[in-house]
Amino acid sequence: MGQYNERVDAYIAKSADFAKPILIHIRELVHRAAPELTEIIKWGFPFFDYKGPVCQMAAFKQHCAFGFWKEKMLSDPRGYLKVDGEESSAGSFGQIVSLSDLPPDEVLIDFIHQAIAINEKGLKVEKKPAAPKAELSMPPEFEKMLIGNSVAIGHYENFSPSKKREYLEWFAEAKSEATREKRMEQALEWIAEGKSRHWKYQ
């Protein structure tokens, strides 16, 4: 079988008629550019791997997609890649409905070679730092409940910030005032026993 995978044959065979020539072209171009790449099905889609994912393709009802796993690390002076915005969800080049929607072969081959070199070096895409969580304030009525229960407030003050937040988020997620009041009453009981919000699952 070499670098080809029968499961990718089957994937192309069952794709829509408009998609078949697009997928076949991408597949042949990838292997022409880099015979060392191997095919694998991941998450239901064909991937081309070399020391990790290099690129992938997919066929949908009305369009195809072709993308590079580490597209944000590729040099793209002519602006072919669509790595930001809504179209990035359709692969690295937006929705593809015909071969003319793909960049020129030499551009794709250059991207493939760049992606292989990135994997060779073991480089990883830097993840965006998680956005800080919004500050949650304690409902005034719950504050009064805590103050009125010396045992509960003693435990609560010793809770870590994350344990305190779990309770405050639980209150904030209540869909009605009645539900929120019921949760605060339950929380006061658990806190008086020194329990965290998710004590049942620990």
Side-chain angles (χ1 to χ4, degrees):
M1 183 176 65
Q3 72 268 43
Y4 290 89
N5 188 320
E6 292 177 356
R7 294 178 66 195
V8 176
D9 294 336
Y11 183 92
I12 295 173
K14 71 179 183 181
S15 64
D17 287 342
F18 84 91
K20 287 184 175 69
I22 299 172
L23 299 179
I24 291 171
H25 177 77
I26 292 172
R27 187 188 199 187
E28 294 306 319
L29 180 70
V30 167
H31 288 303
R32 176 155 52 90
E36 65 270 31
L37 293 184
T38 56
E39 299 176 347
I40 188 171
I41 297 290
K42 293 182 180 179
W43 303 294
F45 301 110
F47 273 69
F48 301 93
D49 277 26
Y50 177 77
K51 297 185 178 179
V54 171
C55 52
Q56 66 280 346
M57 63 183 185
F60 302 98
K61 289 183 178 180
Q62 297 182 332
H63 74 275
C64 292
F66 179 49
F68 287 86
W69 191 247
K70 297 176 180 177
E71 58 186 11
K72 292 186 177 181
M73 300 181 73
L74 299 177
S75 173
D76 179 32
R78 286 179 280 182
Y80 283 106
L81 295 170
K82 297 176 180 177
V83 297
D84 295 305
E86 294 180 3
E87 288 187 292
S88 63
S89 61
S92 299
F93 308 101
Q95 295 186 359
I96 301 166
V97 296
S98 69
L99 287 170
S100 62
D101 293 324
L102 285 167
D105 286 358
E106 62 270 19
V107 172
L108 293 177
I109 290 171
D110 177 60
F111 285 148
I112 292 166
H113 290 163
Q114 286 188 54
I116 290 172
I118 289 168
N119 281 6
E120 280 275 13
K121 295 174 183 176
L123 302 177
K124 298 185 182 298
V125 177
E126 289 187 13
K127 293 183 179 179
K128 291 183 179 179
K133 291 185 177 180
E135 192 69 32
L136 286 176
S137 58
M138 181 185 294
E141 51 270 55
F142 187 66
E143 186 175 7
K144 290 179 181 178
M145 293 168 68
L146 274 178
I147 292 172
N149 188 317
S150 59
V151 176
I153 195 169
H155 285 306
Y156 188 81
E157 289 178 347
N158 288 325
F159 279 174
S160 65
S162 62
K163 281 189 176 182
K164 292 177 181 177
R165 187 179 180 87
E166 286 173 359
Y167 275 111
L168 298 180
E169 287 179 341
W170 193 40
F171 302 154
E173 291 166 0
K175 297 291 190 291
S176 68
E177 188 60 32
T179 300
R180 194 169 78 117
E181 289 178 2
K182 186 176 180 181
R183 288 183 177 184
M184 288 191 291
E185 291 172 359
Q186 179 65 78
L188 188 68
E189 181 182 328
W190 286 343
I191 293 170
E193 296 173 2
K195 295 174 178 175
S196 67
R197 159 78 177 88
H198 299 292
W199 67 273
K200 289 184 178 181
Y201 310 106
Q202 294 174 345

